[in-house]
């Protein structure tokens, strides 16, 4: 049976050259990067190189603005908690959007329980944040705006530049979760004027368990992991040298191949959607029709329940998802689609297909071959389909 992986927004296959680059730091070059002897110096050199590689793809002014973490979730937590603690004498108000990743939303809920005030900005039917509503929500107590760069479920790219401009004018820090955008679409944190950015290694064909937070020079933030003087005294804990090395190389490779990969994935995405709508009735696109990630296609199959489709596709060797991997297992409808105003019944039948660098036209043709019979079989068993005919 053919195997087709279309869940690259959840995680990606680590590139062979990345694995190869990591291996020596598990074996002969196993020193602690904080040690001053030769073993440690080799590790430190490797960490410094990786920091420069990640900083380059971000467009940072200096490698020292990149702090390595365990992943995007830790980076988001660090940004929100660290800024709130550092600026507690100025204010306690945070502005975010209703469609953020759980790493941001659940952190905001935690902070609310501990005295912070959080405003959740709505989005339009395409998942685009209402910039006017956001600007009006700013008060003298506002210390941080946190809006993701691109949504992980529907792929919609947010008006980050406009939000960054407003934040700067109002003297408010701006943080963006760029985990899904990093390495897929070009952006430059320096020219955009962003203060804090969360990124992750395993979304760009690097290893799991490694990420980074960009902290613009001069940004006030309180460290959350306390201990030694690692990561410029901003994040204590022995550096994950193999992971950092792998992340750095993955970032460099992503930057080199970005233009070509963007075009390829955009073409595949649009070809896939065209094929689905030609072969299956009542298929709706979720997210912005054009201003979205090149690899992401979120569609709703009316009258159905998404998990049943995912399980049936899995039996045909196709991996897809009903949304964020971080919310899988929840019976609640997607908070992203709900915020976009998608009919509650239709949110249940929505799937996310996220392509990657190894996805081929033959893969998509295979999925277009096995999906229509699955949808028809499930609809024939659905009482909603009978009513909707």
């Amino acid at each position: 049976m053919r195997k087709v992986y279309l869940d690259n927004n959840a995680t990606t296959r680590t590139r062979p050259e990345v694995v190869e680059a990591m291996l020596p730091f598990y074996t002969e070059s196993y020193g602690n990067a904080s040690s001053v002897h030769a073993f440690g110096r080799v590790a430190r050199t490797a960490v410094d190189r990786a920091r420069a590689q990640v900083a380059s793809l971000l467009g940072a002014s200096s490698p020292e603005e990149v702090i390595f973490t365990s992943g995007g979730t830790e980076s988001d937590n660090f940004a929100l908690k660290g800024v709130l603690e550092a600026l507690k004498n100025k204010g306690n108000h945070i502005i975010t959007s209703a469609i953020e990743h759980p790493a941001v939303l659940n952190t905001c809920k935690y902070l609310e329980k501990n005295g912070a005030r959080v405003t959740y900005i709505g989005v339009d039917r395409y998942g685009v944040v209402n910039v006017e509503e956001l600007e009006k929500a700013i008060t003298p107590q506002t210390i941080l705006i946190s809006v993701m760069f691109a949504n992980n479920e529907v792929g919609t790219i947010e008006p980050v530049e406009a939000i960054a401009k407003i934040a700067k004018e109002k003297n408010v820090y701006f943080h963006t979760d760029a985990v899904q955008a990093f390495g897929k679409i070009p952006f430059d944190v320096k020219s955009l004027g962003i203060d804090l950015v969360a990124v992750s290694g395993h979304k760009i064909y690097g290893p799991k368990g490694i990420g980074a937070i960009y902290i613009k020079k001069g940004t006030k933030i309180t460290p959350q992991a306390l201990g030694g003087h690692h990561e410029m005294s901003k994040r204590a804990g022995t550096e994950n040298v193999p992971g950092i090395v792998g992340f750095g190389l993955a970032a460099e490779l992503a930057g080199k191949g970005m233009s070509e990969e963007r075009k390829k994935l955009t073409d595949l995405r649009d070809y896939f959607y065209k094929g689905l709508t030609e072969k299956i009735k009542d298929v709706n696109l979720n997210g912005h029709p054009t201003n979205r990630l090149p690899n992401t296609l979120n569609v709703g199959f009316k009258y159905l329940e998404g998990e049943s489709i995912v399980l049936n596709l899995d039996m045909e060797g196709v991996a897809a998802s009903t949304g964020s991997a971080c919310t899988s297992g929840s019976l609640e409808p997607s908070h992203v689609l709900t915020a976009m105003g998608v009919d509650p019944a239709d949110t249940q039948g929505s799937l996310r297909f996220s392509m990657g660098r190894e996805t081929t036209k033959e893969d998509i043709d295979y999925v277009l071959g096995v999906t229509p019979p699955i949808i028809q079989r499930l609809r024939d068993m659905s009482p909603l389909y009978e009513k909707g005919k």
Side-chain angles (χ1 to χ4, degrees):
M1 180 174 33
R2 189 183 187 103
K3 297 286 187 180
V4 181
Y5 184 76
L6 297 181
D7 200 15
N8 286 275
N9 281 11
T11 197
T12 58
R13 185 206 297 263
T14 307
R15 295 175 71 139
E17 55 266 63
V18 168
V19 174
E20 186 178 351
M22 294 169 62
L23 289 176
F25 296 93
Y26 286 112
T27 53
E28 65 267 19
S29 301
Y30 53 84
N32 187 318
S34 295
S35 299
V36 297
H37 49 59
F39 285 86
R41 292 197 302 273
V42 169
R44 172 54 55 195
T45 299
V47 168
D48 289 344
R49 181 167 186 263
R51 197 185 310 278
Q53 289 169 316
V54 174
S56 176
L57 187 56
L58 281 166
S61 297
S62 165
E64 283 68 39
E65 293 178 315
V66 173
I67 304 300
F68 288 114
T69 65
S70 64
T73 293
E74 184 190 337
S75 296
D76 285 334
N77 272 259
F78 187 5
L80 272 65
K81 293 176 181 176
V83 168
L84 185 67
E85 188 172 343
L87 299 183
K88 59 187 176 182
N89 292 329
K90 178 185 176 184
N92 68 340
H93 182 221
I94 296 171
I95 298 173
T96 189
S97 86
I99 63 167
E100 295 298 307
H101 188 277
V104 169
L105 290 180
N106 288 337
T107 302
C108 284
K109 290 174 184 176
Y110 166 83
L111 293 173
E112 281 184 291
K113 292 178 182 177
N114 288 273
R117 190 166 69 85
V118 181
T119 299
Y120 300 90
I121 304 300
V123 297
D124 65 15
R125 65 192 181 101
Y126 299 122
V128 179
V129 170
N130 188 321
V131 176
E132 291 183 1
E133 181 186 347
L134 184 149
E135 186 169 12
K136 289 177 182 177
I138 298 174
T139 74
Q141 284 72 47
T142 305
I143 56 171
L144 180 68
I145 297 169
S146 179
V147 174
M148 65 197 335
F149 208 113
N151 185 263
N152 52 300
E153 290 192 27
V154 298
T156 297
I157 299 170
E158 300 300 335
V160 170
E161 187 172 5
I163 296 171
K165 183 179 179 182
I166 291 169
K168 185 176 182 180
E169 291 173 351
K170 301 291 185 178
N171 194 30
V172 174
Y173 285 152
F174 176 41
H175 160 256
T176 186
D177 178 335
V179 166
Q180 292 295 345
F182 184 65
K184 296 178 185 175
I185 56 175
F187 64 87
D188 184 313
V189 294
K190 184 179 180 181
S191 62
L192 287 173
I194 305 172
D195 301 295
L196 300 132
V197 182
V199 294
S200 182
H202 74 110
K203 308 293 189 180
I204 59 168
Y205 314 102
K208 298 174 181 64
I210 187 68
I213 180 171
Y214 161 81
I215 305 174
K216 183 180 178 181
K217 186 178 180 181
T219 301
K220 295 180 180 178
I221 189 166
T222 300
Q224 298 300 295
L226 305 178
H229 296 286
H230 313 86
E231 294 301 293
M232 281 74 77
S233 296
K234 288 186 171 67
R235 196 262 190 181
T238 301
E239 288 95 344
N240 173 9
V241 178
I244 289 170
V245 168
F247 186 19
L249 180 56
E252 180 181 308
L253 294 172
K256 289 179 178 178
M258 190 186 302
S259 180
E260 181 180 342
E261 189 164 315
R262 279 179 71 200
K263 185 181 185 311
K264 170 201 164 185
L265 292 176
T266 300
D267 289 345
L268 281 177
R269 180 198 69 192
D270 294 345
Y271 174 76
F272 189 19
Y273 180 60
K274 184 173 183 290
L276 286 174
T277 55
E278 287 175 349
K279 293 172 180 287
I280 305 171
K281 293 181 179 179
D282 295 321
V283 177
N284 300 319
L285 176 68
N286 296 318
H288 199 282
T290 56
N291 191 32
R292 69 182 191 276
L293 294 173
N295 76 315
T296 305
L297 178 65
N298 190 303
V299 291
F301 298 95
K302 290 181 72 68
Y303 318 117
L304 294 179
E305 196 278 319
E307 188 171 350
S308 298
I309 309 173
V310 169
L311 292 173
N312 275 268
L313 284 171
D314 186 47
M315 287 189 284
E316 297 291 344
V318 179
S321 69
T322 54
S324 168
C326 298
T327 56
S328 64
S330 171
L331 296 177
E332 295 295 319
S334 162
H335 71 283
V336 175
L337 299 181
T338 299
M340 289 165 54
V342 177
D343 185 282
D346 292 342
T347 64
Q348 297 293 344
S350 294
L351 262 65
R352 181 187 68 182
F353 298 96
S354 45
M355 288 143 276
R357 59 184 297 269
E358 295 179 335
T359 308
T360 65
K361 183 175 178 293
E362 290 72 26
D363 288 333
I364 300 303
D365 285 335
Y366 175 75
V367 181
L368 288 173
V370 300
T371 304
I374 290 173
I375 299 301
Q376 189 58 55
R377 185 169 66 249
L378 292 174
R379 281 178 173 170
D380 288 342
M381 296 186 291
S382 170
L384 293 175
Y385 182 56
E386 290 299 318
K387 291 179 182 178
K389 276 185 178 180

